[in-house]
């Protein structure tokens, strides 16, 4: 029977995908046409959502963006055979956005019913886990290390090194914790994966548990992702029923299970030690390190904490070999990164590609440049703690070290583009405001500094003692950088200082007559 | 629909989760799901069930932005105010809604019908600005479509 694919990813739903699916189903019944509607995750082309696909002998053909009211005309035109219509896009895998990618983690996302375990297996699911079992824990970790895979949550720490430390620590219990607290504005890859291919994350976590000798794992997700949480919980249940999780997961008598926990709207709980506190049922206060979580983590036991994308990268590495992964990328940034584009770009969404493109290629070629017609003024990379880059820095190569050399951040892979209607003084103020709202309160430079930072920026924008207040703001940022325990207080200065350096005019009064004599 | 406060029901809900390690967050989420908020009495019940002091539980409730200690408005609108939405006009959309409802962030309407809360990223950044109106996600909003959607939900 013909299959029609309609996404049920949060973003597609927010743009009316359920209405499209309902309308399709009603029209098919009315026309007495037999076809199956399969609900999938998203391919990551947000500007085409809801993207409806149809299976044809020549591959899957797409139409989008589809509104419910388009459904009758689509069927009239011959949707079921992939015929012409104003919304016809052609073969989905041949769209430039798709064909230019290297989809490792997102290979199945948007293509399959996320809760169809058989389909997951048919398309290579669990092969990585089987390979890990054949290799044994030590060789599995050696493969992850040799691949060069670095943490995709923000800090870019080598995953294999972390795993080895935990594996080498003797303890009665060990834990795997998946950080799915994806709080960075402009990032949504974790959400898309949990909604579009949840078994891949389960597989990655099982490999991690097997490698370090853990029998229990947690996923710490966020309350802002109700749909991702619902789908992931269902996937866990299906995996348990299939015996992938549970008492015999690794071998008879050698079990492994995953529990989903949900945060409560605190950005700082994405920081790994605050996350552990939260999992233990406490306030999300950052812990001083050492001890490192690999030695003394959840409930005092050795724990590895990895981002969703880090864990979900591992199955591919094991199936295809660490060399194949390490062969991709640039400098010390190996493999591919699911880049997430948002803001004032023509093409926004998820684009997975090896490290090494320039920012300009990403913004202008992939993102299609400005959507509003007004020039792009700046992009913020790496979430709310990442610097603002003006177009003069768009030659920067997408690579951890190249970004760091320019005070920038790859972070979790988000890139937010602002056109020239943006007020960078206001953005800088927001960086301080966000830090103040989300500070865990443990260190003074972060807790108090972020409040003072807002006041100083307000004064500057009121035209009060410009030189003095610029110096004060720079000094305050320096204190926050040096005196903060974690990257919330330690990195909030980067968006502020970059905005100040590249757009000083936005820190002056908007109307000149308000300027006071220094 | 949320239930009116009922200590027996609350105790049963708590009891069903005490087997979890570090159960406090799941317990608080569950209480808020059932009753719409976490009344002071619930703090006492959770504390004694989990062998914690009331101060500890209160400390956790107050730390997290999600937990409410008072009954919420009938409609909660969570409007994303983070950077990707800002870049696509979230501030203007928020201003339009506030003007229409004659309210401001976190201020419950006098008749208890609606409250608008800021949220920092719903993961819909690629179709910004985004909002969660009740339990309905909306994206690619502007002032007019946001006001229309909120009014339809009122
Ligand atoms: C304030 C703050 C927020 C963070 N938020 C997240 C997050 O949402 N997701 C994440 O994976 N890592 C986040 N991190 C980074 C984690 O502390 C940690 O480095 C990461 O989870 C480790 O996993 P990885 O090595 O796989 O990246 C955050 C760090 C800080 C300081
Ligand atoms: S920098 Fe801020 S968030 Fe981080 S530990 Fe210090 S007070 Fe807490
Ligand atoms: S920044 Fe608004 S949804 Fe992500």
């Amino acid at each position: 029977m013909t299959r029609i694919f309609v996404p049920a990813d949060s973003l597609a739903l927010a743009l009316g995908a359920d209405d499209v699916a309902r309308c399709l189903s009603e029209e098919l019944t009315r026309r007495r046409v037999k076809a199956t509607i399969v609900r999938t995750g998203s391919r990551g082309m947000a500007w085409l959502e809801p993207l409806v696909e149809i299976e044809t002998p020549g591959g899957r053909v797409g139409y989008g963006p589809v509104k419910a009211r388009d459904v009758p005309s689509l069927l009239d035109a011959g949707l079921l055979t992939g015929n012409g219509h104003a919304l016809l896009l052609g073969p989905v895998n041949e769209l430039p956005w798709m064909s230019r990618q290297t989809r490792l983690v997102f290979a199945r996302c948007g293509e399959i019913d996320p809760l169809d375990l058989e389909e997951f297996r048919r398309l290579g699911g669990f092969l990585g886990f089987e390979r890990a079992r054949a290799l044994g824990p030590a060789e599995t970790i050696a493969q992850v290390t040799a691949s060069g895979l670095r943490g995709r949550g923000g800090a870019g720490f080598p995953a294999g090194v972390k795993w080895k430390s935990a594996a080498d620590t003797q303890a009665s219990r060990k834990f795997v914790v998946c950080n799915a607290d994806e709080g960075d504005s402009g990032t949504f890859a974790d959400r898309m994966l949990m909604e579009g291919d949840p078994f891949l994350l389960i597989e990655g976590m099982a490999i991690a548990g097997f490698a370090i000798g853990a029998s229990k794992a947690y996923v710490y997700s966020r309350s802002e992702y109700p749909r991702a949480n619902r789908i992931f919980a269902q996937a866990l249940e299906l995996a348990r029923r299939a015996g992938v999780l549970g008492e015999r997961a690794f071998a008879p008598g050698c079990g492994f299970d995953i529990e989903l926990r949900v945060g409560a709207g605190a950005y700082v709980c994405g920081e790994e030690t605050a996350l552990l506190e939260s999992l233990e049922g406490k306030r999300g206060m950052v812990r001083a390190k050492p001890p490192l979580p690999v030695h003394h983590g959840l409930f005092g036991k050795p724990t590895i904490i990895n981002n969703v994308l880090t864990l979900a990268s591992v199955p591919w590495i094991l199936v295809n070999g660490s060399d194949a992964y390490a062969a991709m990328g640039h400098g010390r940034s190996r493999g591919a990164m699911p880049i997430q584009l948002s803001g004032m770009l023509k093409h926004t969404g998820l684009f997975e590609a090896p490290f090494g493109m320039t920012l300009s290629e990403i913004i202008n070629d992939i993102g299609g440049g400005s959507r509003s017609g007004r020039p792009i003024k700046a992009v913020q990379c790496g979430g709310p703690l990442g610097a603002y880059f003006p177009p003069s820095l768009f030659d920067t190569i997408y690579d951890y070290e190249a970004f760091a050399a320019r005070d920038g951040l790859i972070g979790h892979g988000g890139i937010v583009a602002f056109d020239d209607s943006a007020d960078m003084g206001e953005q800088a103020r927001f960086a301080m405001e966000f830090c103040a709202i989300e500070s865990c309160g443990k260190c003074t430079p972060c807790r108090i500094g972020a409040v003072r930072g807002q006041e100083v920026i307000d004064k500057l924008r009121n035209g009060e003692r410009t030189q003095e207040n610029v110096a004060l703001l720079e000094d305050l940022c320096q204190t926050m950088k040096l005196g903060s325990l974690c990257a919330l207080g330690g990195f909030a200065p980067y968006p502020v200082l970059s905005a100040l350096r590249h757009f000083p005019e936005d820190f002056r009064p908007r109307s000149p007559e308000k300027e006071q004599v220094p | 629909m949320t239930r009116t406060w009922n200590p027996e029901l609350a105790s049963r809900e708590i009891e069903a989760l005490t087997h979890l390690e570090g159960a406090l967050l799941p317990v608080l989420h569950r209480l808020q799901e059932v009753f719409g908020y976490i009344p002071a009495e619930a703090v006492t019940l959770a504390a004694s069930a989990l062998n914690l002091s009331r101060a500890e539980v209160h400390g956790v409730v107050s730390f997290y932005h999600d937990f409410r200690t008072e009954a919420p408005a009938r409609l909660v609108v969570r409007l994303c105010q983070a950077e990707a939405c800002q870049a696509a006009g979230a501030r203007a959309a928020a201003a339009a809604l506030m003007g229409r409802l004659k309210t401001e962030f976190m201020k419950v309407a006098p008749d208890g019908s609606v409250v608008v809360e800021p949220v920092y990223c719903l993961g819909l950044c690629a179709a910004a600005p985004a909002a969660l109106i009740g339990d309905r996600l909306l994206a690619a909003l502007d002032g007019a479509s946001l006001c229309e959607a909120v009014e339809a939900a009122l």
Side-chain angles (χ1 to χ4, degrees), chain A residues 10-11 13-15 46 173 183-188 191 218 220 222-225 259 261-266 268-269 278-285 299 341-344 348-349 371 380 384 388 416-418 426-427 430 434 437-438 440, chain B residues 17 19-26 28-29 52 55-67 78 80-89 91 118-128 130-132 135-141:
Chain A
S10 290
L11 184 137
L13 294 180
L15 296 172
R173 289 164 83 200
D184 288 359
S185 165
T187 68
F188 40 83
R191 178 188 65 65
Y218 290 89
Y220 187 90
R222 50 200 305 258
S223 59
E224 293 85 347
Y225 285 1
E259 187 180 328
R261 290 282 177 94
V262 180
V268 73
C269 287
S278 185
L279 272 178
E280 291 179 5
K282 302 178 196 148
R283 299 160 66 95
M285 301 289 278
F299 304 116
L341 291 174
S342 65
M344 262 311 162
T348 53
R371 166 158 48 108
Q380 184 178 34
Y388 285 100
V416 182
F418 292 76
E426 195 175 19
Q427 293 310 123
F430 176 75
F434 185 73
I437 294 172
E438 300 298 338
C440 84
Chain B
L17 294 170
H19 66 283
L20 298 176
E21 278 185 280
L24 186 52
L25 256 74
L28 295 175
H29 271 306
L52 299 167
E56 280 171 294
V57 177
H58 177 75
V60 171
V61 171
S62 62
F63 181 86
Y64 294 94
H65 302 303
D66 278 0
F67 296 132
R78 305 185 79 189
C80 181
Q81 294 292 295
E83 288 89 340
C85 285
Q86 291 169 350
R91 289 190 183 95
V119 58
Y120 298 100
C121 196
L122 294 164
L124 306 180
C125 332
L132 186 61
D135 56 12
R136 189 161 163 241
L137 284 170
L138 286 168
L141 292 162

Side-chain angles (χ1 to χ4, degrees), chain A residues 39-222:
Chain A
R39 302 304 297 270
T40 63
S42 170
R43 299 271 197 172
M45 295 177 279
W47 75 101
L48 297 178
E49 292 288 7
L51 169 66
V52 174
E53 297 179 26
I54 190 92
E55 210 165 39
T56 75
R60 276 163 64 166
V61 169
Y63 298 81
V66 176
K67 297 237 172 301
R69 63 165 182 272
D70 301 321
V71 168
S73 75
L74 278 167
L75 287 167
D76 291 345
L79 169 79
L80 295 177
T81 44
N83 281 3
H85 184 279
L87 296 176
L88 174 68
L89 301 163
V92 174
N93 284 324
E94 289 168 28
L95 295 173
W97 180 278
M98 294 301 293
S99 64
R100 293 177 71 175
Q101 291 186 61
T102 305
R103 293 190 50 129
L104 311 183
V105 172
F106 284 84
R108 278 177 298 254
C109 187
E111 202 172 310
I112 58 166
D113 171 351
L115 294 173
D116 186 342
L117 195 52
E118 283 324 301
E119 186 80 345
F120 176 77
R121 281 187 204 276
R122 205 177 59 72
L123 294 172
F126 296 133
L127 286 182
F129 178 58
E130 275 163 31
R131 181 93 187 109
R133 281 220 294 206
L135 291 172
E139 185 51 29
T140 298
I141 295 176
Q143 286 284 320
V144 174
T145 307
S147 74
L149 174 66
R150 293 165 70 173
R152 302 292 188 233
F157 187 81
V161 174
K162 193 184 277 188
W163 289 23
K164 179 144 195 335
S165 307
D168 289 347
T169 308
Q170 297 305 315
S172 56
R173 289 164 83 200
K174 296 181 192 177
F175 294 103
V176 172
V177 171
C178 170
N179 191 340
D181 197 39
E182 199 165 55
D184 288 359
S185 165
T187 68
F188 40 83
D190 298 350
R191 178 188 65 65
M192 274 181 60
L193 191 83
M194 286 168 75
E195 294 188 26
D197 196 9
F199 293 123
L200 178 64
L201 177 57
I202 292 174
E203 182 183 359
M205 291 182 72
I207 295 170
F210 175 75
I212 70 157
S215 57
K216 175 88 195 234
Y218 290 89
V219 171
Y220 187 90
S221 180
R222 50 200 305 258

